[in-house]
Amino acid sequence: MQTITRLLAGKGRFIADETLPDMVHMGVLRSPAAHGRITGLNTAAALALPGVLRVLTASDVAETGPLDCRETVQGLDGPMVEPYRGLLADGKVVHVGQPVAVVLAENEAIAQDALEVIDLEIDALPAVTDPETAHQFPPIWQDAPENRSFRWETGNIAETAELIAGAAHVVDLIVRHPRIAINPVETRGCLAVPDGNRLTLITPSQGVKSLQAALADCLGLDPASLRILTYDVGGSFAVKIWPYAEQALALFAAQLLGRPVRWLGSRSDAFTADAAGRGRVDRARLALDADGRFLAFQIDALADMGAFLNRAAPSIVSANSVRPYAQLYHIPGQHYRVSAIFTNTVPTDAYRGAGKPETTATLERLIEVAAGRIGTDPFELRRLNLIRPEQIPYITPMGETMDAGNFPALADRIHAQADWAGFPCRKAASAAKGLLRGGAVSFHLHASGGSTVERSEVRALPNGTVLVRTSAQDSGQSHFDSLALVAAKVLDLRPERIRVEQGDSDQLEIGGGTGGSNLLPVAGQTVRRTALAMLDQARAQAGEMLEAAEADLDYGDGIFRIIGTDRSVTLAEVAEAMGEENDPGCMARLDFDGIHTTWPNGAFACEVEVDPDTGGIRVDRFTGITDAGEIINEPAALGQVHGGIGQGLGEALTEGMTFDEDGQPLTGSFMDYGMPRADDLPMLDHDWVYTPSPNSVINAKGIGELSSIGAPGVFLNAVMDALRPHGIEHLDMPLTPSKVWQALRK
């Protein structure tokens, strides 16, 4: 595909590639303490270094606004508590990595030298790092007693309580989901450029319009005076959606100095200053009747928010966590309650799946434990409780409507393709080698969401190409190619003739960007409708040019023909006649209209071998079946599935941020943070099934987060299945060799 070919040829354009003459380099002094009062901040030695232009502290940026949330959650006790979050720490610090001062210098080396001679004195305060014990500490923020921002709940609460009270079996479990350092391959960065009365910010993002609005608000600018440009993005997984202090500070500095200002984040910055993912403790309960049918599912969660509320974090731990709450299962009672807890750590926010991987893994773990306790086969217990095709459209107790899916057929398919009937033989073969084999099958579902603020433009050009503009933003998922394929199918053109443009706020009137697996459900559907509208305009013009009625015209391969004759005109000729430079020209521009929620779903089967002598885990087999509707761009879709599985493996087996009692990260680099490697996974056996989505005019379902929602639970359950004969019912993620070895020794 075009995008992949360009990147493989080394023609990508990333933030580290951006340089300009007379460019200033920005360095950020970060707090080395998790919590404390700033008692001294002396920048004189830094300012004295040759090549240092300015050193900015909180007083210098006092007139800028805060980086606040874009929404408010109304909790059980009233509105959420949202601390003021200035660009630079003022008076106290609340997490390691919080920006305290900024150095502006002629080059990176000078900036780094200057950071090292700033004298920062901090009087340490007790650091809260565990949401389960946060209530025992003095409040980080005075108006947040017990370090709680809000409590929130939803579901059919009374009915759930009644069903639990009358259940034959009730399984209770605490499932702890580790805090994840998101770590895209390209770190954050930005280049701020002054241009007369305007400012331009070049930065990796997932949508330039939302970033433009947030940064303009923070700096008190007219959004029209701020241009945001995003070129190639080396991965994001939501971490680059949000506005950050460094972007606002670079813009402020560029305006102050009248020179371009660049900041490039290090990997250390990524661990201590990027929004983190996950970080939830679920006190969960599953109720079943005497026949094993699910009656109720309940979670009382503690969500680690970090020291501030990040941009979308309140909704991630509340409403976003419950959209596909019970997954593919029919569970009449559903209740979710969450307490959002402040800790002295970097704030959390969305990470691929945005609250749903936690809920899904908790449910799948409960089902596995329930099967063990009541003495039934876990696969058959799941199959018994799947939503039946005749129940669809299915309205959940959380108020969502599933539009499509054949879940019993999905179960049959995964059972056959994974050779699940052969698992006992493989288990015996592993035992003969002195290894513990475990296996699990799980099911998963997503309700695609994200912003529906999309205005697509499709314009035919006299050179024979077609321009598509969208507010969606590629961050490695091949958006360019996918949208080109959508437009090419409508226009009956080769995809190479479609040019997709993204990432320039000057070319977009509105736009919500990419997130929530919304590319095809939102931008894809809108591009299709817009291409059809453009084609209708072109057909009318072609009729005038050929002196024929529109009904007498046939169209194909970019050519309008009078039916039954050899008279024709090309789309390019029509575009030339309508005028490339004129507005509208041969162009249509439409906003999204319709339903953006689709329900992609799937099943995973995983088998692992555990070495009881070392606790080492080897994933031996992994099979996946995915229903994502019509697959528009299969290489990209398969890459999305594989990537989510890899991230799910990391979450379950290797990854997790840990802190000491002073709030210092113990996992602050790739030397001690367990990123999954390629050889941690076997060859992945994956196939597609198809059910159309009534909610999608292109029959495509959002796929970006689906596998990351389903993967953590199946890895966790497979390992626990291997350990269960040794009396080990549950361990918290990540299941590191040390943790497994110690559990076996106990």
Side-chain angles (χ1 to χ4, degrees):
M1 304 298 284
Q2 296 178 64
T3 306
I4 296 172
T5 301
R6 178 174 59 82
L7 294 176
L8 289 177
K11 297 180 180 179
R13 187 175 180 182
F14 298 93
I15 189 62
D17 299 319
E18 299 300 316
T19 60
L20 287 173
D22 204 30
M23 186 172 71
V24 175
H25 295 263
M26 185 174 88
V28 180
L29 178 69
R30 302 191 182 278
S31 170
H35 195 198
R37 285 182 287 268
I38 298 175
T39 56
L41 181 57
N42 190 332
T43 63
L47 281 167
L49 290 178
V52 172
L53 305 173
R54 292 289 295 270
V55 178
L56 304 178
T57 61
S59 61
D60 297 303
V61 295
E63 294 183 5
T64 61
L67 291 172
D68 53 6
C69 284
R70 66 183 185 191
E71 63 219 354
T72 298
V73 169
Q74 184 67 30
L76 297 173
D77 309 309
M80 68 186 192
V81 175
E82 181 181 6
Y84 186 89
R85 188 181 185 184
L87 299 183
L88 294 171
D90 187 8
K92 78 170 186 174
V93 294
V94 289
H95 70 84
V96 171
Q98 183 179 2
V100 176
V102 161
V103 169
L104 304 172
E106 295 290 356
N107 61 49
E108 289 184 79
I110 295 173
Q112 186 59 42
D113 288 344
L115 291 175
E116 293 176 1
V117 298
I118 294 176
D119 185 12
L120 172 63
E121 297 179 6
I122 296 173
D123 185 5
L125 295 170
V128 183
T129 60
D130 182 358
E132 292 184 87
T133 60
H135 64 282
Q136 301 172 7
F137 285 77
I140 300 169
W141 308 108
Q142 285 189 351
D143 51 353
E146 298 187 331
N147 285 306
R148 185 175 62 237
S149 173
F150 63 86
R151 292 188 307 132
W152 183 89
E153 68 179 351
T154 190
N156 52 350
I157 300 167
E159 182 180 349
T160 300
E162 184 178 338
L163 288 166
I164 291 173
H169 308 284
V170 177
V171 177
D172 291 282
L173 195 66
I174 297 178
V175 182
R176 295 176 177 86
H177 300 273
R179 171 185 277 255
I180 299 296
I182 298 175
N183 276 322
V185 65
E186 179 202 31
T187 57
R188 291 189 297 114
C190 59
L191 173 60
V193 185
D195 182 15
N197 294 325
R198 298 193 79 205
L199 287 166
T200 296
L201 184 74
I202 305 169
T203 190
S205 76
Q206 285 184 222
V208 293
K209 292 301 287 186
S210 60
L211 202 57
Q212 178 192 43
L215 292 172
D217 183 58
C218 176
L219 296 171
L221 301 174
D222 178 354
S225 70
L226 175 60
R227 184 185 189 187
I228 307 291
L229 292 172
T230 291
Y231 301 126
D232 290 309
V233 181
S236 178
F237 314 112
V239 77
K240 295 172 184 170
I241 294 179
W242 325 117
Y244 285 88
E246 295 88 354
Q247 294 163 323
L249 289 164
L251 287 165
F252 182 91
Q255 201 171 32
L256 180 70
L257 299 178
R259 293 172 59 180
V261 175
R262 187 177 77 166
W263 170 76
L264 294 179
S266 67
R267 187 57 61 183
S268 178
D269 292 326
F271 274 101
T272 59
D274 286 6
R278 312 295 188 246
R280 208 175 84 187
V281 179
D282 289 351
R283 298 180 179 93
R285 175 173 288 179
L286 181 67
L288 306 87
D289 69 14
D291 297 321
R293 295 192 181 276
F294 301 156
L295 297 176
F297 173 40
Q298 184 181 63
I299 293 177
D300 190 352
L302 297 174
D304 182 355
M305 310 304 292
F308 298 101
L309 297 184
N310 209 58
R311 189 75 169 161
S315 68
I316 298 305
V317 303
S318 56
N320 268 282
S321 295
V322 300
R323 296 193 66 210
Y325 186 67
Q327 291 294 300
L328 286 67
Y329 305 109
H330 173 64
I331 308 181
Q334 300 179 23
H335 177 204
Y336 174 79
R337 180 188 295 124
V338 62
S339 295
I341 305 299
F342 289 119
T343 60
N344 290 116
T345 57
V346 69
T348 59
D349 210 310
Y351 167 50
R352 196 173 188 174
K356 303 169 193 75
E358 298 96 298
T359 303
T360 304
T362 292
L363 176 57
E364 287 294 329
R365 189 75 202 107
L366 276 172
I367 295 171
E368 202 76 11
V369 171
R373 290 188 186 177
I374 66 178
T376 190
D377 178 78
F379 181 86
E380 294 304 327
L381 181 61
R382 287 178 169 86
R383 194 205 296 263
L384 174 69
N385 286 282
L386 292 172
I387 295 167
R388 312 290 303 176
E390 59 269 20
Q391 294 175 282
I392 294 176
Y394 179 86
I395 302 175
T396 77
M398 294 298 183
E400 299 281 351
T401 302
M402 295 184 191
D403 66 339
N406 189 335
F407 308 143
L410 185 68
D412 293 341
R413 182 71 176 273
I414 193 70
H415 193 281
Q417 188 154 328
D419 183 27
W420 197 241
F423 173 70
C425 292
R426 294 189 291 274
K427 187 177 182 73
S430 295
K433 298 185 293 183
L435 301 175
L436 310 176
R437 179 175 285 262
V441 176
S442 70
F443 298 89
H444 50 277
L445 183 76
H446 187 211
S448 64
S451 174
T452 59
V453 182
E454 163 67 11
R455 180 169 295 165
S456 299
E457 177 183 313
V458 178
R459 183 187 295 267
L461 301 176
N463 63 5
T465 65
V466 172
L467 172 64
V468 173
R469 283 182 176 153
T470 172
S471 74
Q473 183 61 55
D474 185 280
S475 59
Q477 314 97 314
S478 198
H479 282 9
F480 294 93
D481 296 329
S482 297
L483 293 180
L485 287 165
V486 170
K489 184 176 181 179
V490 172
L491 301 175
D492 195 27
L493 297 172
R494 295 190 312 276
E496 292 78 10
R497 292 176 63 181
I498 312 295
R499 186 173 90 251
V500 177
E501 290 185 353
Q502 314 172 346
D504 185 347
S505 63
D506 277 3
Q507 294 178 351
L508 302 169
E509 297 173 358
I510 62 172
T514 296
S517 305
N518 71 343
L519 175 74
L520 292 178
V522 174
Q525 293 200 70
T526 311
V527 165
R528 180 185 184 277
R529 290 175 47 245
T530 309
L532 287 169
M534 184 275 284
L535 201 57
D536 286 343
Q537 294 179 13
R539 186 184 300 275
Q541 177 67 28
E544 293 183 15
M545 295 171 69
L546 295 170
E547 298 180 332
E550 292 181 42
D552 294 332
L553 297 181
D554 186 23
Y555 174 81
D557 195 26
I559 301 171
F560 293 97
R561 295 180 177 85
I562 300 177
I563 298 172
T565 75
D566 60 357
R567 295 182 59 203
S568 64
V569 63
T570 66
L571 181 60
E573 291 168 334
V574 169
E576 185 173 16
M578 296 182 75
E580 179 182 358
E581 301 302 325
N582 298 331
D583 195 3
C586 191
M587 183 272 287
R589 187 184 292 130
L590 293 177
D591 291 354
F592 172 78
D593 182 37
I595 301 174
H596 76 300
T597 298
T598 62
W599 295 85
N601 55 86
F604 288 150
C606 175
E607 296 181 33
V608 302
E609 286 185 328
V610 177
D611 185 339
D613 293 331
T614 65
I617 299 166
R618 185 180 71 87
V619 181
D620 185 55
R621 293 164 64 96
F622 196 98
T623 304
I625 306 292
T626 299
D627 175 5
E630 182 175 337
I631 305 302
I632 304 295
N633 182 353
E634 185 167 10
L638 189 59
Q640 289 290 284
V641 172
H642 285 183
I645 292 170
Q647 286 176 296
L649 176 141
E651 190 171 326
L653 304 186
T654 67
E655 293 188 62
M657 288 294 292
T658 59
F659 303 85
D660 69 13
E661 61 183 11
D662 296 321
Q664 290 295 322
L666 301 177
T667 46
S669 75
F670 287 154
M671 294 294 290
D672 38 37
Y673 183 87
M675 289 288 284
R677 305 309 201 258
D679 62 357
D680 289 326
L681 279 169
M683 294 300 294
L684 301 173
D685 175 20
H686 180 270
D687 209 350
W688 308 98
V689 295
Y690 170 75
T691 58
S693 169
N695 292 350
S696 172
V697 296
I698 58 176
N699 272 326
K701 306 174 186 180
I703 197 173
E705 297 160 286
L706 179 65
S707 59
S708 62
I709 291 171
V714 77
F715 285 115
L716 173 61
N717 278 337
V719 177
M720 295 313 305
D721 180 63
L723 302 181
R724 187 161 53 90
H726 292 259
I728 304 169
E729 185 176 68
H730 181 71
L731 296 175
D732 288 321
M733 300 181 285
L735 301 180
T736 60
S738 173
K739 186 180 293 182
V740 170
W741 183 86
Q742 290 181 41
L744 285 168
R745 291 301 166 275
K746 291 179 182 178

